[in-house]
Amino acid sequence: MYEVVLSPAALRQFKRLPASARSLLKKAMGERLGKEDPTQEDQNRFRLKRVSPYADFELRVEPWRVFYRVQESRVMVELIGRKRGNVLVIEGKEFHL
């Protein structure tokens, strides 16, 4: 079991989401990051191809993206955003990792 912790920025981003998205992401983060090995890659959970100062891994949940780092038995969620086409939107602005 891993402890899933949201950074202050991720918590702010999470609280701004619609209730349906919060529910979906809370369930996905609990199962995919808390109960399973968050470093085990699959189609929707993988290490970022390019080095980023923000995160090491990405979890895809429908249009939502959760960016995180793993530190021993703790998963630190750093950013939460939405993918629209080729554009990642975080807090209403286009964001580049």
Side-chain angles (χ1 to χ4, degrees), residues 17-69:
L17 297 175
S20 60
R22 287 194 310 266
S23 175
L24 177 70
L25 287 174
K26 184 176 180 180
K27 181 179 177 186
M29 286 188 290
E31 290 176 5
R32 303 295 312 275
L33 303 180
K35 294 180 182 173
E36 299 175 12
D37 181 359
T39 61
Q40 181 67 41
E41 295 186 37
D42 60 29
Q43 185 176 355
N44 293 313
R45 180 180 52 204
F46 50 88
R47 183 176 289 278
L48 296 175
K49 289 178 175 54
R50 287 182 263 165
V51 176
S52 170
Y54 303 103
D56 299 325
F57 293 90
E58 176 179 344
L59 172 66
R60 295 191 293 199
V61 183
E62 295 181 13
W64 306 102
R65 302 297 184 260
V66 177
F67 298 94
Y68 64 95
R69 289 197 159 98

Short mmCIF file of all heavy atoms in Angstrom, two decimals, residues 17-69:
data_model
loop_
_atom_site.label_atom_id
_atom_site.label_comp_id
_atom_site.label_asym_id
_atom_site.label_seq_id
_atom_site.Cartn_x
_atom_site.Cartn_y
_atom_site.Cartn_z
N LEU A 17 -12.05 21.18 -9.72
CA LEU A 17 -12.66 20.28 -10.69
C LEU A 17 -14.14 20.09 -10.40
O LEU A 17 -14.58 20.22 -9.25
CB LEU A 17 -11.97 18.92 -10.66
CG LEU A 17 -10.49 18.89 -11.03
CD1 LEU A 17 -9.94 17.48 -10.82
CD2 LEU A 17 -10.28 19.33 -12.46
N PRO A 18 -14.92 19.73 -11.44
CA PRO A 18 -16.32 19.39 -11.19
C PRO A 18 -16.41 18.16 -10.28
O PRO A 18 -15.48 17.34 -10.23
CB PRO A 18 -16.86 19.04 -12.58
CG PRO A 18 -15.84 19.50 -13.56
CD PRO A 18 -14.54 19.67 -12.83
N ALA A 19 -17.51 18.03 -9.57
CA ALA A 19 -17.68 16.93 -8.61
C ALA A 19 -17.51 15.57 -9.26
O ALA A 19 -16.91 14.67 -8.67
CB ALA A 19 -19.05 17.03 -7.94
N SER A 20 -18.01 15.40 -10.48
CA SER A 20 -17.90 14.10 -11.15
C SER A 20 -16.43 13.77 -11.43
O SER A 20 -16.00 12.62 -11.28
CB SER A 20 -18.69 14.09 -12.46
OG SER A 20 -18.21 15.10 -13.33
N ALA A 21 -15.63 14.77 -11.80
CA ALA A 21 -14.21 14.55 -12.06
C ALA A 21 -13.46 14.26 -10.77
O ALA A 21 -12.59 13.39 -10.74
CB ALA A 21 -13.60 15.77 -12.76
N ARG A 22 -13.80 14.96 -9.69
CA ARG A 22 -13.17 14.70 -8.39
C ARG A 22 -13.42 13.27 -7.95
O ARG A 22 -12.51 12.57 -7.49
CB ARG A 22 -13.66 15.68 -7.33
CG ARG A 22 -13.13 17.08 -7.49
CD ARG A 22 -13.37 17.94 -6.25
NE ARG A 22 -14.74 17.91 -5.77
CZ ARG A 22 -15.68 18.80 -6.11
NH1 ARG A 22 -15.39 19.77 -6.95
NH2 ARG A 22 -16.90 18.71 -5.61
N SER A 23 -14.66 12.81 -8.10
CA SER A 23 -15.01 11.45 -7.72
C SER A 23 -14.24 10.43 -8.55
O SER A 23 -13.68 9.46 -8.01
CB SER A 23 -16.51 11.24 -7.89
OG SER A 23 -16.86 9.91 -7.63
N LEU A 24 -14.19 10.62 -9.86
CA LEU A 24 -13.47 9.73 -10.76
C LEU A 24 -11.98 9.68 -10.43
O LEU A 24 -11.40 8.60 -10.33
CB LEU A 24 -13.68 10.20 -12.21
CG LEU A 24 -12.96 9.43 -13.30
CD1 LEU A 24 -13.57 8.04 -13.45
CD2 LEU A 24 -13.05 10.19 -14.60
N LEU A 25 -11.38 10.84 -10.24
CA LEU A 25 -9.94 10.91 -9.95
C LEU A 25 -9.61 10.35 -8.57
O LEU A 25 -8.59 9.68 -8.40
CB LEU A 25 -9.43 12.34 -10.09
CG LEU A 25 -9.32 12.84 -11.52
CD1 LEU A 25 -8.94 14.32 -11.53
CD2 LEU A 25 -8.31 12.03 -12.30
N LYS A 26 -10.46 10.62 -7.59
CA LYS A 26 -10.21 10.10 -6.24
C LYS A 26 -10.19 8.58 -6.26
O LYS A 26 -9.30 7.95 -5.68
CB LYS A 26 -11.30 10.61 -5.28
CG LYS A 26 -11.07 10.20 -3.85
CD LYS A 26 -12.14 10.82 -2.95
CE LYS A 26 -11.92 10.40 -1.52
NZ LYS A 26 -12.94 11.00 -0.64
N LYS A 27 -11.15 7.98 -6.96
CA LYS A 27 -11.21 6.53 -7.07
C LYS A 27 -9.99 5.99 -7.82
O LYS A 27 -9.35 5.04 -7.39
CB LYS A 27 -12.50 6.12 -7.78
CG LYS A 27 -12.66 4.63 -7.92
CD LYS A 27 -13.95 4.28 -8.61
CE LYS A 27 -14.04 2.76 -8.79
NZ LYS A 27 -15.21 2.39 -9.58
N ALA A 28 -9.65 6.62 -8.95
CA ALA A 28 -8.52 6.16 -9.77
C ALA A 28 -7.20 6.30 -9.01
O ALA A 28 -6.37 5.38 -9.05
CB ALA A 28 -8.47 6.94 -11.07
N MET A 29 -6.99 7.41 -8.33
CA MET A 29 -5.74 7.60 -7.58
C MET A 29 -5.65 6.59 -6.43
O MET A 29 -4.58 6.05 -6.17
CB MET A 29 -5.63 9.04 -7.06
CG MET A 29 -5.30 10.04 -8.15
SD MET A 29 -4.92 11.69 -7.53
CE MET A 29 -6.51 12.24 -6.94
N GLY A 30 -6.76 6.34 -5.76
CA GLY A 30 -6.76 5.37 -4.67
C GLY A 30 -6.41 3.97 -5.14
O GLY A 30 -5.62 3.27 -4.53
N GLU A 31 -7.00 3.57 -6.27
CA GLU A 31 -6.76 2.23 -6.78
C GLU A 31 -5.42 2.12 -7.52
O GLU A 31 -4.62 1.22 -7.25
CB GLU A 31 -7.89 1.82 -7.73
CG GLU A 31 -9.20 1.58 -7.03
CD GLU A 31 -10.34 1.29 -7.99
OE1 GLU A 31 -10.10 1.19 -9.21
OE2 GLU A 31 -11.48 1.18 -7.51
N ARG A 32 -5.18 3.03 -8.47
CA ARG A 32 -4.03 2.90 -9.37
C ARG A 32 -2.72 3.35 -8.73
O ARG A 32 -1.66 2.89 -9.10
CB ARG A 32 -4.26 3.70 -10.66
CG ARG A 32 -5.50 3.34 -11.45
CD ARG A 32 -5.51 1.93 -12.03
NE ARG A 32 -4.33 1.54 -12.72
CZ ARG A 32 -4.05 1.79 -13.99
NH1 ARG A 32 -4.91 2.45 -14.73
NH2 ARG A 32 -2.93 1.37 -14.53
N LEU A 33 -2.80 4.29 -7.77
CA LEU A 33 -1.58 4.79 -7.14
C LEU A 33 -1.42 4.30 -5.70
O LEU A 33 -0.30 4.16 -5.22
CB LEU A 33 -1.56 6.32 -7.16
CG LEU A 33 -1.66 6.98 -8.54
CD1 LEU A 33 -1.62 8.49 -8.40
CD2 LEU A 33 -0.59 6.48 -9.48
N GLY A 34 -2.52 4.05 -5.00
CA GLY A 34 -2.46 3.65 -3.60
C GLY A 34 -2.37 2.16 -3.39
O GLY A 34 -1.58 1.68 -2.58
N LYS A 35 -3.18 1.40 -4.13
CA LYS A 35 -3.24 -0.05 -3.92
C LYS A 35 -2.31 -0.82 -4.84
O LYS A 35 -1.86 -1.90 -4.50
CB LYS A 35 -4.67 -0.53 -4.11
CG LYS A 35 -5.61 -0.02 -3.05
CD LYS A 35 -7.01 -0.52 -3.26
CE LYS A 35 -7.94 0.05 -2.19
NZ LYS A 35 -9.33 -0.29 -2.47
N GLU A 36 -2.05 -0.30 -6.04
CA GLU A 36 -1.15 -0.95 -7.00
C GLU A 36 0.21 -0.28 -6.93
O GLU A 36 0.36 0.79 -6.37
CB GLU A 36 -1.71 -0.84 -8.42
CG GLU A 36 -3.06 -1.50 -8.60
CD GLU A 36 -3.65 -1.26 -9.99
OE1 GLU A 36 -2.92 -0.78 -10.88
OE2 GLU A 36 -4.84 -1.55 -10.17
N ASP A 37 1.20 -0.90 -7.55
CA ASP A 37 2.54 -0.32 -7.62
C ASP A 37 2.50 0.86 -8.59
O ASP A 37 2.30 0.67 -9.79
CB ASP A 37 3.55 -1.36 -8.10
CG ASP A 37 4.96 -0.84 -8.18
OD1 ASP A 37 5.19 0.36 -7.90
OD2 ASP A 37 5.85 -1.63 -8.54
N PRO A 38 2.69 2.12 -8.12
CA PRO A 38 2.58 3.29 -8.99
C PRO A 38 3.73 3.41 -10.00
O PRO A 38 3.64 4.20 -10.93
CB PRO A 38 2.58 4.47 -8.02
CG PRO A 38 3.26 3.96 -6.81
CD PRO A 38 2.95 2.50 -6.74
N THR A 39 4.78 2.61 -9.83
CA THR A 39 5.89 2.66 -10.79
C THR A 39 5.74 1.61 -11.89
O THR A 39 6.50 1.62 -12.85
CB THR A 39 7.24 2.46 -10.09
OG1 THR A 39 7.24 1.17 -9.47
CG2 THR A 39 7.49 3.54 -9.06
N GLN A 40 4.77 0.71 -11.74
CA GLN A 40 4.52 -0.32 -12.75
C GLN A 40 3.82 0.33 -13.94
O GLN A 40 2.71 0.82 -13.82
CB GLN A 40 3.65 -1.44 -12.16
CG GLN A 40 3.37 -2.56 -13.12
CD GLN A 40 4.62 -3.34 -13.47
OE1 GLN A 40 5.44 -3.61 -12.60
NE2 GLN A 40 4.77 -3.69 -14.72
N GLU A 41 4.47 0.32 -15.09
CA GLU A 41 3.93 1.00 -16.26
C GLU A 41 2.91 0.14 -16.99
O GLU A 41 3.03 -1.08 -17.04
CB GLU A 41 5.06 1.39 -17.21
CG GLU A 41 6.00 2.42 -16.60
CD GLU A 41 7.03 2.92 -17.58
OE1 GLU A 41 6.72 3.09 -18.76
OE2 GLU A 41 8.17 3.14 -17.13
N ASP A 42 1.88 0.80 -17.52
CA ASP A 42 0.92 0.17 -18.41
C ASP A 42 0.43 1.24 -19.38
O ASP A 42 1.06 2.30 -19.49
CB ASP A 42 -0.22 -0.50 -17.63
CG ASP A 42 -1.02 0.46 -16.76
OD1 ASP A 42 -1.13 1.65 -17.10
OD2 ASP A 42 -1.56 0.01 -15.73
N GLN A 43 -0.66 0.98 -20.06
CA GLN A 43 -1.14 1.89 -21.09
C GLN A 43 -1.50 3.27 -20.53
O GLN A 43 -1.29 4.28 -21.20
CB GLN A 43 -2.35 1.28 -21.80
CG GLN A 43 -2.85 2.10 -22.96
CD GLN A 43 -3.99 1.41 -23.68
OE1 GLN A 43 -4.34 0.29 -23.38
NE2 GLN A 43 -4.57 2.08 -24.65
N ASN A 44 -2.03 3.34 -19.33
CA ASN A 44 -2.48 4.61 -18.77
C ASN A 44 -1.67 5.12 -17.59
O ASN A 44 -2.01 6.13 -16.99
CB ASN A 44 -3.95 4.49 -18.36
CG ASN A 44 -4.84 4.33 -19.55
OD1 ASN A 44 -4.72 5.06 -20.53
ND2 ASN A 44 -5.73 3.36 -19.50
N ARG A 45 -0.59 4.43 -17.26
CA ARG A 45 0.28 4.85 -16.16
C ARG A 45 1.72 4.60 -16.62
O ARG A 45 2.11 3.46 -16.85
CB ARG A 45 -0.04 4.04 -14.92
CG ARG A 45 0.80 4.39 -13.72
CD ARG A 45 0.44 3.57 -12.52
NE ARG A 45 0.45 2.15 -12.83
CZ ARG A 45 -0.23 1.23 -12.16
NH1 ARG A 45 -0.98 1.57 -11.15
NH2 ARG A 45 -0.16 -0.03 -12.50
N PHE A 46 2.49 5.67 -16.75
CA PHE A 46 3.83 5.50 -17.31
C PHE A 46 4.77 6.61 -16.87
O PHE A 46 4.35 7.68 -16.43
CB PHE A 46 3.76 5.45 -18.84
CG PHE A 46 2.98 6.58 -19.46
CD1 PHE A 46 3.59 7.77 -19.77
CD2 PHE A 46 1.63 6.44 -19.71
CE1 PHE A 46 2.87 8.81 -20.32
CE2 PHE A 46 0.90 7.47 -20.27
CZ PHE A 46 1.52 8.66 -20.57
N ARG A 47 6.07 6.32 -17.02
CA ARG A 47 7.12 7.30 -16.73
C ARG A 47 7.15 8.32 -17.88
O ARG A 47 7.01 7.95 -19.04
CB ARG A 47 8.47 6.61 -16.61
CG ARG A 47 9.61 7.56 -16.25
CD ARG A 47 10.92 6.82 -16.05
NE ARG A 47 10.93 6.02 -14.83
CZ ARG A 47 11.20 6.52 -13.63
NH1 ARG A 47 11.47 7.79 -13.48
NH2 ARG A 47 11.20 5.73 -12.57
N LEU A 48 7.33 9.59 -17.55
CA LEU A 48 7.41 10.61 -18.59
C LEU A 48 8.65 10.39 -19.44
O LEU A 48 9.72 10.03 -18.92
CB LEU A 48 7.46 12.01 -17.96
CG LEU A 48 6.20 12.41 -17.18
CD1 LEU A 48 6.43 13.76 -16.51
CD2 LEU A 48 4.99 12.46 -18.07
N LYS A 49 8.51 10.58 -20.75
CA LYS A 49 9.64 10.36 -21.66
C LYS A 49 10.74 11.41 -21.50
O LYS A 49 11.90 11.12 -21.65
CB LYS A 49 9.14 10.33 -23.10
CG LYS A 49 8.32 9.09 -23.41
CD LYS A 49 7.82 9.11 -24.82
CE LYS A 49 7.10 7.86 -25.23
NZ LYS A 49 6.02 7.43 -24.40
N ARG A 50 10.31 12.64 -21.23
CA ARG A 50 11.29 13.71 -21.02
C ARG A 50 11.37 14.06 -19.54
O ARG A 50 10.36 14.04 -18.84
CB ARG A 50 10.88 14.96 -21.80
CG ARG A 50 11.09 14.80 -23.29
CD ARG A 50 10.73 16.06 -24.00
NE ARG A 50 9.36 15.90 -24.48
CZ ARG A 50 8.59 16.87 -24.90
NH1 ARG A 50 9.02 18.10 -24.91
NH2 ARG A 50 7.38 16.63 -25.32
N VAL A 51 12.53 14.41 -19.08
CA VAL A 51 12.72 14.80 -17.68
C VAL A 51 11.94 16.10 -17.44
O VAL A 51 12.01 17.03 -18.23
CB VAL A 51 14.22 15.00 -17.37
CG1 VAL A 51 14.41 15.51 -15.96
CG2 VAL A 51 14.97 13.70 -17.60
N SER A 52 11.21 16.14 -16.34
CA SER A 52 10.40 17.30 -15.99
C SER A 52 10.71 17.72 -14.56
O SER A 52 10.87 16.86 -13.69
CB SER A 52 8.92 16.96 -16.12
OG SER A 52 8.13 17.98 -15.58
N PRO A 53 10.75 19.02 -14.29
CA PRO A 53 10.96 19.46 -12.91
C PRO A 53 9.71 19.25 -12.05
O PRO A 53 9.76 19.37 -10.83
CB PRO A 53 11.26 20.95 -13.06
CG PRO A 53 10.63 21.35 -14.34
CD PRO A 53 10.70 20.13 -15.23
N TYR A 54 8.58 18.91 -12.69
CA TYR A 54 7.32 18.79 -11.97
C TYR A 54 7.00 17.38 -11.51
O TYR A 54 6.46 17.19 -10.42
CB TYR A 54 6.17 19.29 -12.85
CG TYR A 54 6.36 20.71 -13.30
CD1 TYR A 54 6.77 20.99 -14.59
CD2 TYR A 54 6.15 21.77 -12.43
CE1 TYR A 54 6.97 22.29 -15.01
CE2 TYR A 54 6.35 23.08 -12.84
CZ TYR A 54 6.76 23.34 -14.13
OH TYR A 54 6.96 24.61 -14.53
N ALA A 55 7.28 16.38 -12.35
CA ALA A 55 6.87 15.00 -12.02
C ALA A 55 7.69 13.99 -12.80
O ALA A 55 8.37 14.34 -13.76
CB ALA A 55 5.39 14.82 -12.32
N ASP A 56 7.60 12.73 -12.35
CA ASP A 56 8.29 11.63 -13.02
C ASP A 56 7.33 10.71 -13.78
O ASP A 56 7.72 10.07 -14.74
CB ASP A 56 9.05 10.78 -12.00
CG ASP A 56 10.11 11.58 -11.26
OD1 ASP A 56 10.72 12.48 -11.89
OD2 ASP A 56 10.32 11.32 -10.07
N PHE A 57 6.06 10.64 -13.32
CA PHE A 57 5.09 9.72 -13.89
C PHE A 57 3.80 10.45 -14.23
O PHE A 57 3.50 11.50 -13.68
CB PHE A 57 4.74 8.60 -12.89
CG PHE A 57 5.87 7.66 -12.62
CD1 PHE A 57 6.76 7.91 -11.59
CD2 PHE A 57 6.06 6.53 -13.39
CE1 PHE A 57 7.80 7.04 -11.31
CE2 PHE A 57 7.10 5.65 -13.13
CZ PHE A 57 7.97 5.91 -12.10
N GLU A 58 3.02 9.82 -15.13
CA GLU A 58 1.72 10.34 -15.52
C GLU A 58 0.69 9.22 -15.42
O GLU A 58 0.95 8.09 -15.82
CB GLU A 58 1.76 10.85 -16.95
CG GLU A 58 0.44 11.34 -17.49
CD GLU A 58 0.52 11.86 -18.91
OE1 GLU A 58 1.63 12.14 -19.41
OE2 GLU A 58 -0.55 11.97 -19.54
N LEU A 59 -0.47 9.56 -14.88
CA LEU A 59 -1.62 8.66 -14.85
C LEU A 59 -2.71 9.30 -15.69
O LEU A 59 -3.08 10.46 -15.46
CB LEU A 59 -2.11 8.46 -13.41
CG LEU A 59 -3.42 7.68 -13.25
CD1 LEU A 59 -3.24 6.22 -13.70
CD2 LEU A 59 -3.91 7.73 -11.81
N ARG A 60 -3.20 8.55 -16.68
CA ARG A 60 -4.29 9.04 -17.53
C ARG A 60 -5.60 8.45 -17.04
O ARG A 60 -5.72 7.24 -16.87
CB ARG A 60 -4.08 8.64 -18.99
CG ARG A 60 -2.87 9.27 -19.59
CD ARG A 60 -2.83 9.07 -21.08
NE ARG A 60 -2.65 7.66 -21.41
CZ ARG A 60 -2.22 7.23 -22.60
NH1 ARG A 60 -1.94 8.08 -23.55
NH2 ARG A 60 -2.08 5.94 -22.82
N VAL A 61 -6.59 9.33 -16.82
CA VAL A 61 -7.93 8.92 -16.42
C VAL A 61 -8.90 9.71 -17.29
O VAL A 61 -9.16 10.88 -17.01
CB VAL A 61 -8.20 9.19 -14.93
CG1 VAL A 61 -9.58 8.69 -14.52
CG2 VAL A 61 -7.12 8.60 -14.05
N GLU A 62 -9.37 9.08 -18.37
CA GLU A 62 -10.21 9.75 -19.36
C GLU A 62 -9.49 11.01 -19.83
O GLU A 62 -8.32 10.90 -20.20
CB GLU A 62 -11.62 9.94 -18.81
CG GLU A 62 -12.33 8.62 -18.55
CD GLU A 62 -13.74 8.77 -18.01
OE1 GLU A 62 -14.30 9.88 -18.04
OE2 GLU A 62 -14.29 7.75 -17.56
N PRO A 63 -10.11 12.23 -19.80
CA PRO A 63 -9.35 13.39 -20.29
C PRO A 63 -8.41 13.97 -19.24
O PRO A 63 -7.65 14.90 -19.51
CB PRO A 63 -10.44 14.40 -20.66
CG PRO A 63 -11.52 14.13 -19.68
CD PRO A 63 -11.50 12.61 -19.49
N TRP A 64 -8.44 13.44 -18.02
CA TRP A 64 -7.67 14.00 -16.91
C TRP A 64 -6.28 13.39 -16.85
O TRP A 64 -6.07 12.24 -17.17
CB TRP A 64 -8.41 13.78 -15.58
CG TRP A 64 -9.79 14.32 -15.64
CD1 TRP A 64 -10.93 13.60 -15.80
CD2 TRP A 64 -10.18 15.68 -15.62
NE1 TRP A 64 -12.01 14.44 -15.86
CE2 TRP A 64 -11.57 15.72 -15.77
CE3 TRP A 64 -9.48 16.87 -15.50
CZ2 TRP A 64 -12.29 16.92 -15.78
CZ3 TRP A 64 -10.19 18.06 -15.52
CH2 TRP A 64 -11.57 18.07 -15.65
N ARG A 65 -5.31 14.20 -16.40
CA ARG A 65 -3.93 13.76 -16.25
C ARG A 65 -3.47 14.07 -14.84
O ARG A 65 -3.66 15.18 -14.33
CB ARG A 65 -3.01 14.46 -17.25
CG ARG A 65 -3.40 14.28 -18.72
CD ARG A 65 -3.30 12.81 -19.11
NE ARG A 65 -3.57 12.61 -20.53
CZ ARG A 65 -4.72 12.19 -21.03
NH1 ARG A 65 -5.74 11.98 -20.23
NH2 ARG A 65 -4.86 12.01 -22.32
N VAL A 66 -2.87 13.06 -14.20
CA VAL A 66 -2.34 13.20 -12.85
C VAL A 66 -0.83 12.98 -12.95
O VAL A 66 -0.39 11.92 -13.40
CB VAL A 66 -2.98 12.17 -11.88
CG1 VAL A 66 -2.36 12.28 -10.51
CG2 VAL A 66 -4.48 12.36 -11.83
N PHE A 67 -0.05 13.97 -12.55
CA PHE A 67 1.41 13.88 -12.62
C PHE A 67 1.94 13.71 -11.20
O PHE A 67 1.55 14.45 -10.29
CB PHE A 67 1.99 15.14 -13.26
CG PHE A 67 1.51 15.31 -14.68
CD1 PHE A 67 0.40 16.08 -14.98
CD2 PHE A 67 2.16 14.66 -15.71
CE1 PHE A 67 -0.05 16.22 -16.28
CE2 PHE A 67 1.73 14.78 -17.02
CZ PHE A 67 0.62 15.56 -17.31
N TYR A 68 2.84 12.73 -11.02
CA TYR A 68 3.27 12.40 -9.67
C TYR A 68 4.70 11.89 -9.62
O TYR A 68 5.31 11.57 -10.64
CB TYR A 68 2.32 11.35 -9.07
CG TYR A 68 2.32 10.02 -9.77
CD1 TYR A 68 3.12 8.97 -9.32
CD2 TYR A 68 1.52 9.79 -10.87
CE1 TYR A 68 3.12 7.74 -9.95
CE2 TYR A 68 1.50 8.56 -11.52
CZ TYR A 68 2.30 7.54 -11.05
OH TYR A 68 2.30 6.33 -11.69
N ARG A 69 5.21 11.85 -8.38
CA ARG A 69 6.53 11.29 -8.06
C ARG A 69 6.32 10.22 -6.99
O ARG A 69 5.39 10.31 -6.20
CB ARG A 69 7.46 12.35 -7.50
CG ARG A 69 7.91 13.36 -8.51
CD ARG A 69 9.13 14.11 -7.98
NE ARG A 69 9.84 14.69 -9.08
CZ ARG A 69 9.72 15.93 -9.49
NH1 ARG A 69 8.92 16.75 -8.84
NH2 ARG A 69 10.40 16.37 -10.52
#
